[in-house]
Amino acid sequence: MQIQDLPYPDPGVPDARSGPRFLWWLFRNQLGGQLKSLAWGLLHFTSVAALPFCVGVAVQAVVDRSGTGLALAGGLLALACVGNAVGDTFLHRTAITNWITAAARVQQLLARKAAHLGSALTRRVAAGEVVAVSTGDVEKIGWFVEALSRFTAALVTIVLVCAGLLVYQPALGVVVAVGLPALALAVLPLLPRATRRADTQREKAGRATELASDTVAGLRVLRGIGGEELFLDRYRSASQEVRHAAVRSARMWSLISAIQVLLPGLLLIAVVWYGVRLAHEGRITVGELVAVYSSVMVLTYPLRHFEEIAMAYSFSRPSAKRAAGVLSLRRPTDTAGSRAAGVPSGDLYDPETGLLAPAGRLTAVVCGDPDTAGLLAERLGGHPSQEGASVLLGGVPLDELPLDSTRTAVLVQDKDPVLLSGTLRDLLDVPASGAVRPDQALAAAQCDDVLAALVQGSLDATDPMDARITERGRSLSGGQRQRLALARSLITDPETLVLDEPTSAVDSHTEARIAQGVRELREGRTTVVFTSSPLLLDRADRVVFLHDGEAVAVGAHRELVRTEPRYRAVVTRETDDEAAPNGSVALNDVLHELEEIEEKA
């Protein structure tokens, strides 16, 4: 896999049982690139390690006044320099390729998992954690996967040089062969502490990212209640904790780096001292002493890769653990599509609550608990956040269909839909049947004032479709965002559409017109609306009232208001004290208000 070939046609099925297993799975899936990196790394490191031998041959040729030896040394030196240049160039190329492709594979896996889980992902993992995993963590994972082949090349080179020195000059070779492993292993006792400090830093950084994300998402509300400074103080405190943790981690790694500089220096001193004694005794030549000394000095370069691989693993192991934790998440009722792909049609039925939405009709659902309503809406769309009986569409269990088929058959718009940044044309460019035009959907969702506001707030767009929407639609009001999201859902024209509180942020007159527009546009299609608004309920073909997780009453809105006290209490917001003496008064007020709004709409 090359960078220009990204993204992967299929990133594969990861081994997400643990962080190390996930790293090993990534390494195995990049074996070809790793072998290339290993080959070029061996060429590069062995060429660098050969330079001291060439220098030693040249020095000895000068001492012996040998022109042939000097020419041989020059030729070997030129060959080593060419090998060094070529090896270093292609090692860097393959290493960067391995890094980017590994990070891209992880990002694709995370994106696929997010699409598979849907809203259940953020219910089980904090949004800030997901962002941290898909940005900073993938880079650390890619770093370790890439550095592993370079470390292997450095290790093989050190072993070969030590073996060569034992053959070339046994007396000094023994010192080097014993000293180099000691240098490589000297930092091992410090690695667990360095790893713990790196984990602490990453954990605090994740919490700070989550806090920042929550603050930005709720900035409008914070300004309304004057809470900006409170949350800024919290973020300052969190960022200071991250800074302190980063300093403590850096201190440990600086100590490891200092050891990696100090100990090779001591080994050089030992080699020089012992080599001078051997040369004085006539047991080695000056050229051999220079070659051994230069070899030890040059070997400090591949030795640095021991520190790098330790640092890369320390940072990537917790990152891989978090990524594996996200990738190991499963949908509670995932049957991997045991039925053949297809888009069923018919009545939508939930056996757990007894809710039935007849095909081709507008069904309103009233539930006193908004959280319960949200969970039921997800279940109706085939995205349950907990185990239970599958919802049936035309008698077909949604959980047994492939996920694509389920999402084609049933579309769920939750109570807090997200608007992606871009033009309005981009926002409304969604998979659709083609039966509903954008202008029809916008008109049904009563978006005329939204279109005018978009054009007014744009510097260079005269066509509302070319006006840009900011991230998450932050420049729009809550009601404007709701209406644009509703228009987007209407354009898709699914066989079954589930709307969770689609008009909670709009005024009553606009809500009445939206109710009529949705009813007309969705004529002949199955539509389920979770709401407690009398305006929407009055436009529904049938209303289902849920109490304690069960459908306890079904009928027309005005009928249920008269006959079901619990339903009336939810719709009119009356308390228990008000219900008994004022029930008829509240009923008359509701009916009168409906009549007034119908006349004005």
Side-chain angles (χ1 to χ4, degrees), residues 372-446:
T372 302
L375 293 174
L376 177 55
E378 289 183 358
R379 193 161 70 246
L380 292 178
H383 318 302
S385 57
Q386 54 192 9
E387 294 185 0
S390 175
V391 170
L392 305 178
L393 179 60
V396 177
L398 291 180
D399 294 344
E400 296 181 6
L401 288 171
L403 193 58
D404 290 343
S405 298
T406 301
R407 290 179 173 173
T408 301
V410 184
L411 173 67
V412 178
Q413 177 183 304
D414 61 26
K415 64 180 55 141
D416 187 23
V418 175
L419 301 183
L420 301 179
S421 60
T423 65
L424 180 58
R425 195 184 310 277
D426 296 332
L427 177 71
L428 301 182
D429 185 16
V430 293
S433 66
V436 179
R437 300 192 309 272
D439 59 318
Q440 293 177 308
L442 291 168
Q446 300 298 309

Side-chain angles (χ1 to χ4, degrees), residues 109-145:
L109 291 170
L110 291 170
R112 185 175 68 181
K113 179 59 67 173
H116 182 73
L117 292 175
S119 60
L121 175 61
T122 51
R123 289 182 181 274
R124 301 166 70 177
V125 182
E129 183 72 7
V130 176
V131 172
V133 170
S134 59
T135 53
D137 282 338
V138 296
E139 293 187 5
K140 295 180 177 67
I141 292 170
W143 176 27
F144 173 75
V145 173

Side-chain angles (χ1 to χ4, degrees), residues 321-401:
K321 179 181 178 181
R322 280 182 287 271
V326 174
L327 295 175
S328 64
L329 296 177
R330 296 288 183 269
R331 297 172 68 232
T333 55
D334 192 357
T335 60
S338 56
R339 285 179 178 262
V343 181
S345 61
D347 297 345
L348 185 67
Y349 176 67
D350 176 33
E352 295 227 352
T353 61
L355 170 63
L356 174 66
R361 302 181 68 184
L362 173 60
T363 301
V365 181
V366 177
C367 182
D369 184 1
D371 292 333
T372 302
L375 293 174
L376 177 55
E378 289 183 358
R379 193 161 70 246
L380 292 178
H383 318 302
S385 57
Q386 54 192 9
E387 294 185 0
S390 175
V391 170
L392 305 178
L393 179 60
V396 177
L398 291 180
D399 294 344
E400 296 181 6
L401 288 171

Side-chain angles (χ1 to χ4, degrees), residues 175-214:
V175 177
V176 176
V178 173
L180 283 177
L183 294 182
L185 300 176
V187 298
L188 285 181
L190 299 177
L191 290 181
R193 183 176 299 179
T195 301
R196 287 195 298 271
R197 292 189 179 186
D199 289 350
T200 301
Q201 178 191 351
R202 171 59 184 78
E203 181 182 350
K204 292 182 179 296
R207 284 203 295 266
T209 302
E210 182 179 346
L211 180 59
S213 176
D214 292 342

Side-chain angles (χ1 to χ4, degrees), residues 545 547 552-554 556-571 574:
F545 176 55
H547 183 70
V552 296
V554 179
H557 166 61
R558 301 190 183 211
E559 174 190 350
L560 292 178
V561 167
R562 293 188 181 94
T563 60
E564 178 55 65
R566 293 172 298 181
Y567 175 83
R568 184 170 60 246
V570 173
V571 173
E574 65 183 13

Side-chain angles (χ1 to χ4, degrees), residues 43-54:
L43 176 61
H44 170 57
F45 289 127
T46 53
S47 298
V48 171
L51 292 175
F53 174 75
C54 299

Side-chain angles (χ1 to χ4, degrees), residues 23 140 143-145 147-148 150-152 183-196 198-199 249 252-253 256-257 260 302-318:
L23 291 173
K140 295 180 177 67
W143 176 27
F144 173 75
V145 173
L148 194 56
R150 288 190 291 114
F151 163 73
T152 304
L183 294 182
L185 300 176
V187 298
L188 285 181
L190 299 177
L191 290 181
R193 183 176 299 179
T195 301
R196 287 195 298 271
D199 289 350
S249 179
M252 183 56 63
W253 287 111
I256 293 175
S257 298
Q260 291 287 76
L303 270 176
R304 300 292 296 180
H305 288 75
F306 283 76
E307 177 190 350
E308 182 189 8
I309 196 65
M311 183 180 293
Y313 182 72
S314 297
F315 280 98
S316 67
R317 185 184 60 81

Side-chain angles (χ1 to χ4, degrees), residues 453-588:
L454 287 174
V455 173
Q456 185 177 4
S458 178
L459 298 177
D460 54 358
T462 56
D463 185 350
M465 299 299 289
D466 296 325
R468 294 197 64 81
I469 298 174
T470 57
E471 180 191 5
R472 299 179 68 92
R474 298 190 193 283
S475 60
L476 302 173
S477 69
Q480 291 172 329
R481 288 197 298 270
Q482 270 192 341
R483 283 177 279 166
L484 285 180
L486 176 59
R488 179 178 59 186
S489 299
L490 293 174
I491 287 175
T492 61
D493 190 36
E495 186 67 30
T496 302
L497 176 62
V498 179
L499 303 171
D500 187 7
E501 295 288 355
T503 59
S504 59
V506 301
D507 62 82
S508 57
H509 299 293
T510 304
E511 188 176 30
R513 292 193 293 270
I514 290 175
Q516 186 62 31
V518 170
R519 180 181 177 84
E520 293 174 355
L521 195 62
R522 293 287 300 171
E523 186 71 31
R525 298 287 202 186
T526 307
T527 307
V528 180
V529 182
F530 286 83
T531 183
S532 58
S533 166
L535 299 171
L536 286 175
L537 295 171
D538 199 46
R539 295 296 196 284
D541 294 317
R542 68 200 303 267
V543 178
V544 179
F545 176 55
L546 298 179
H547 183 70
D548 291 337
E550 293 184 5
V552 296
V554 179
H557 166 61
R558 301 190 183 211
E559 174 190 350
L560 292 178
V561 167
R562 293 188 181 94
T563 60
E564 178 55 65
R566 293 172 298 181
Y567 175 83
R568 184 170 60 246
V570 173
V571 173
T572 63
R573 276 75 167 178
E574 65 183 13
T575 63
D576 293 338
D577 293 336
E578 297 170 336
N582 299 325
S584 59
V585 176
L587 171 60
N588 291 331

